[in-house]
Amino acid sequence: MIGPSLSRRAFAAGLSLPFLARVAEAAVPANRKLVVIVCRGGMDGLSVAPPVGDPDYRALRGALALGDTALKLDGTFGLHPSLPAIHKLARAGQARIAPAVATSDRARSHFEAQDVLETGAAGVYATTSGWLNRAVSAMGKVEALSVGPTAPLILRGPAAAGSWSPGRSVDAQARLPTLLQDLYRDDPLLGPALARGLQTETLARDTGANMTGGQGMQGRAGPGREAARAMGEALAGFLKAPGGPQVAAVSLDGFDTHANQAGLLGVRLSSLDALVDGLHGGLGPVWKDAVVLAVTEFGRTARVNGTGGTDHGTASTALLLGGALKLGGIVGDWPTLKREALFEERDVYPALDLRALEKGLLADHLGVERRALDTLVFPESAGVRPLTGLV
């Protein structure tokens, strides 16, 4: 529970003063809203939207395969059972999946991949500002808001942005396992030893999460379902307020599922589902003009590892949600899970450049011009055509 911090007074206290000043001075922004949710850790796209109709799915996934429990989307894809609210939106034509999407980066390092994901650059550490911040700059008089203890890189840069934190301060130890995994991923001795240690920690964390509504381990697992829904409702309140932000970014941690993935990922996806549900309900009529994009730095291996989890992969699944979406099926192409179709014989093949998806949304939904998309928002990306027609 977020508790008292859900009061309007607490919301105002959590906002940066520059944001409040700009809201007081600015005219009411355009009615269209864009929310980007960054799912950190490498979210497993084959679990988010399992291709249960793919003939190679069950053999590759083994114990992680979802059969009748998957929430059906079409003849090939379903949704994870922890995503009932998103499934309901999909049935109403307000949620779609991009099942084989990736950034331009092919490294399997969290920090390199997250940098490329959030900067939108063609290479690692090419710039210090985020693509969403530069999009705000390109649009001019548009308010932006970051949700979390610190502003995510995606919204850092020259354009001013407000901030709101729903509670906890940053846990400096929460990302230490991620750092160690990157450091020892190629070490034949320390790599497996670390994975076994993380499996033990994950089991303990899951036990705590079940007892505390998904928070566990002093909150490291991220918000539980009730708290996540409340966070979504709170964000909706900012978005629909007169003079409120038109663009927002939210970070959710904890999607690095090297061990005991079935239990761990269910908790994380439940929080994501509740956050979206809170946004949907909280926005009310404004939802028809909203687009929500949930992305991650990379996917995970198609095959299960020895600790009941999956390792760092390539393509993942992005979620597109909102009342502004056009009706349609999957976004992009599905490369299948045939052995010869896998990337480096281990990962889902990257069939869609994430920048094409993001460009299309910025162009069609928020009116960002192509030249700005190719040069300012996503530098050196003229060869990546916007995927238009989604809204």
Side-chain angles (χ1 to χ4, degrees), residues 53-362:
D54 188 302
D56 297 288
Y57 166 72
R58 293 180 186 274
L60 279 173
R61 290 266 104 175
L64 292 182
L66 297 170
D68 295 338
T69 59
L71 306 173
K72 186 175 181 179
L73 289 177
D74 58 27
T76 301
F77 292 96
L79 284 175
H80 193 281
S82 294
L83 300 173
I86 292 176
H87 182 247
K88 185 176 181 180
L89 289 173
R91 295 185 65 181
Q94 298 177 6
R96 298 173 66 179
I97 62 169
V101 67
T103 69
S104 59
D105 183 61
R106 295 293 173 264
R108 296 184 178 94
S109 160
H110 286 292
F111 298 99
E112 291 183 10
Q114 286 177 5
D115 179 84
V116 173
L117 170 72
E118 297 189 66
T119 64
V124 179
Y125 308 132
T127 181
T128 58
S129 62
W131 67 261
L132 192 57
N133 184 280
R134 297 193 300 273
V136 170
S137 295
M139 287 183 282
K141 295 181 179 179
V142 169
E143 301 293 338
L145 175 69
S146 70
V147 178
T150 59
L153 174 57
I154 193 173
L155 205 45
R156 295 181 204 162
S163 62
W164 171 65
S165 177
R168 288 179 48 81
S169 59
V170 176
D171 184 347
Q173 297 181 3
R175 295 184 183 174
L176 180 60
T178 298
L179 175 63
L180 294 175
Q181 288 156 21
D182 277 350
L183 184 62
Y184 296 124
R185 67 181 187 273
D186 297 323
D187 190 297
L189 179 63
L190 294 178
L194 177 61
R196 288 192 294 270
L198 289 175
Q199 180 184 29
T200 301
E201 182 181 4
T202 298
L203 290 171
R205 181 167 57 220
D206 284 349
T207 300
N210 290 334
M211 295 174 62
T212 62
Q215 294 191 45
M217 291 289 289
Q218 300 179 354
R220 292 185 196 174
R225 189 169 182 91
E226 187 175 354
R229 179 182 288 107
M231 184 167 66
E233 292 172 348
L235 175 56
F238 291 128
L239 291 169
K240 69 181 182 181
Q246 188 174 349
V247 171
V250 185
S251 291
L252 292 180
D253 290 325
F255 286 89
D256 198 18
T257 50
H258 284 277
N260 191 33
Q261 177 170 304
L264 181 62
L265 188 60
V267 174
R268 303 302 190 271
L269 291 179
S270 182
S271 295
L272 173 61
D273 188 67
L275 174 63
V276 171
D277 193 33
L279 265 172
H280 173 231
L283 284 175
V286 178
W287 177 257
K288 67 180 176 59
D289 297 311
V291 171
V292 180
L293 175 65
V295 295
T296 191
E297 69 262 34
F298 48 55
R300 310 196 70 83
T301 50
R303 297 178 182 86
V304 184
N305 64 25
T307 57
T310 52
D311 299 317
H312 301 175
T314 306
S316 186
T317 296
L319 294 171
L320 291 85
L321 315 114
L325 287 181
K326 288 183 178 178
L327 293 174
I330 70 167
V331 177
D333 298 318
W334 174 237
T336 79
L337 295 175
K338 295 182 184 299
R339 181 175 179 179
E340 60 270 22
L342 296 178
F343 181 73
E344 297 183 350
E345 297 189 355
R346 51 168 279 164
D347 304 334
V348 175
Y349 185 82
L352 175 63
D353 191 318
L354 180 58
R355 292 172 297 176
L357 176 58
E358 293 162 342
K359 281 184 174 185
L361 294 177
L362 289 173

